[in-house]
Amino acid sequence: MAVQEKKTARSMWWLLATVLVVELMDLLDSTIVNVAGPALERSLGASPVGLQWVIGGYALTLGAGLVLGGRLGDRYGRRPMFLIGLIGFIAASLLCAIAPNIGLLITFRLVQGVAGAMMLPQGLGILRDNLTPRELTKALAVFGPVLGLGGVLGPVLGGALVDWDLFGLGWRLVFLVNVPVGIAALALSWRLVPRAEQTRTLRVDIVGAVLVAAASALLVFPLNEGQSAGWPLWTWLSLTAAALGYVAFALWQRRVVRLDRAPLVTPSLFGKSAFTVGLVAVALFFGGLIGTQLVLTFFLQIGQGFTAGQAGLGNLPVALGTAVGGGISGGLLAARLGRAVLQAGAVVQFAGIAWLWLALADTTDFTIWHIVPGSVVTGIGAGIVIAAVFNTVLGAVADNEVGSASGVLTAVQSIGGSVGVAIFSTVFFAGEATPSFRNALIIQAVIIALFLLISPLFPHRARPDDPAADVDTPTTAGEVSLHR
């Protein structure tokens, strides 16, 4: 009996490791190319707009496809979609690595995001389907902190790879590293991920998927192109069309329900003010967080002449602060303070942003130590919020809505990050490096203030029936996919 239990435990950890590697690849690719900007400019002649698309295009297609990816996993099985997404991700990474020009690199990044959207929703679903509640609790205790830290360590790893310049590959290593890691993960996944039942009677809402993808593209495209084009009429028309597209998507979902079909998103969610406010808050928070992290990297490389590796290490204080903040929040504050932990985290983050802004008033003799204290405090505040925000927002929804709500939250987080990249990049490239970075920090402060303003509308506590609610670890962006 003891031998069987040990074998089961070993299998659980191997399955967890396999899923974790795949999810980390996807997560790291959201930020790993942040430090490759100057190298892309030298190698491919990339413009600031091109850099925005390389970085933000991935988040765009990832976010637009996540809900559909989860539904396809329900329809055709999580194992097949997991493997198909992983194969597509490996192939797209290889194509990115050999891209001869910026146009093709952007195209392959968009494809990479689509593959990630097929793969990412399946990982935690596979764990949920194959682990006992006790095993799942143990798995989440590892999953949360690793993914939370992995997301902010992307620039550090990316900078090291660019500076390493193995065989003269430079920035191409940022994408090429996914190939051997992905192949190893594919071999393990083929062997370890069990086959499961499929829901062949489930109809996939293709019209809904097209509507949400089109609306997302219409939103991000003018934000990326508007600054260089001088904000002509078509940019404002595109933004208006994006808003109408999201409205059309919501109306279509209601019609699908009336026809007694399975919608991509449960329409009743949009009737819950707390959940709707939560979506806005998540978009604001992650848009500001990812945008600020990006312009920090730009400032260090373009404004201060840091190498890619040095700029990547410049993100390390934020990463360490995020890990500390997440541990404090998930292990102590969230259970005691409820939604107030979000407000506490935002206030700490605001203090860190203010510290950074003041530290950059004079950069005559700039060293990395000018920004380390403010970066650490900012990271601690961000970590406190990240550890609690998803479970807090999910407290507004009913049991039968949790899966759909989780998918929407994950997608909004990703699209919010893409919008943040577009907006903050536009602000940074509008002027000199240091003043532009300080202007970006002011925008981030405004975003935090808006987050604080609407936070009283959140539910008071995380869902009591949430499997992750009993786990004293941060809830990360990826974890919400568990409920699919």
Side-chain angles (χ1 to χ4, degrees), residues 292-338:
T292 305
Q293 188 178 11
L294 176 63
V295 294
L296 169 61
T297 303
F298 284 163
F299 165 75
L300 293 175
Q301 287 189 274
I302 298 172
Q304 301 301 322
F306 281 34
T307 67
Q310 291 169 337
L313 289 175
N315 284 269
L316 192 57
V318 179
L320 295 177
T322 301
V324 171
I328 294 172
S329 178
L332 179 64
L333 297 180
R336 297 183 179 182
L337 300 181

Side-chain angles (χ1 to χ4, degrees), residues 22-23 25-26 58 62 65-66 69-70 72-73 76-94 108 110-123 126 178 182-183 185-186 189-190:
V22 173
E23 302 263 339
M25 277 201 314
D26 185 286
Y58 174 82
L62 176 67
L66 277 169
L72 289 174
Y76 297 106
R78 301 195 187 280
R79 173 188 161 94
M81 292 309 304
F82 188 71
L83 295 175
I84 290 170
L86 179 54
I87 292 169
F89 193 85
I90 296 169
S93 298
L94 179 59
F108 297 146
L110 295 174
V111 174
Q112 193 182 36
V114 173
M118 299 302 104
M119 177 177 68
L120 184 62
Q122 319 308 333
I126 288 171
N178 287 332
I183 291 174
L186 181 62
S189 301
W190 190 273

Side-chain angles (χ1 to χ4, degrees), residues 27 90 92 112 119 147 179 191 225 230 232 291 329 387-388 416 429 451 475:
L27 187 62
I90 296 169
Q112 193 182 36
M119 177 177 68
L147 287 189
V179 177
R191 178 180 178 84
E225 299 285 343
S329 178
F429 288 113
F451 181 89
T475 300

Side-chain angles (χ1 to χ4, degrees), residues 246-284:
Y246 286 122
V247 171
F249 171 72
L251 294 175
W252 174 257
Q253 295 303 280
R254 292 182 184 278
R255 183 173 186 273
V256 169
V257 171
R258 287 198 302 269
L259 295 174
D260 200 25
R261 299 175 185 170
L264 282 178
V265 176
T266 304
S268 58
L269 290 173
F270 300 111
K272 300 177 184 294
S273 59
F275 180 77
T276 305
V277 168
L279 291 182
V280 175
V282 166
L284 285 171

Side-chain angles (χ1 to χ4, degrees), residues 135-157:
E135 291 173 336
L136 186 60
T137 299
K138 293 180 180 178
L140 289 179
V142 177
F143 213 102
V146 172
L147 287 189
L149 190 58
V152 289
L153 283 178
V156 180
L157 176 59

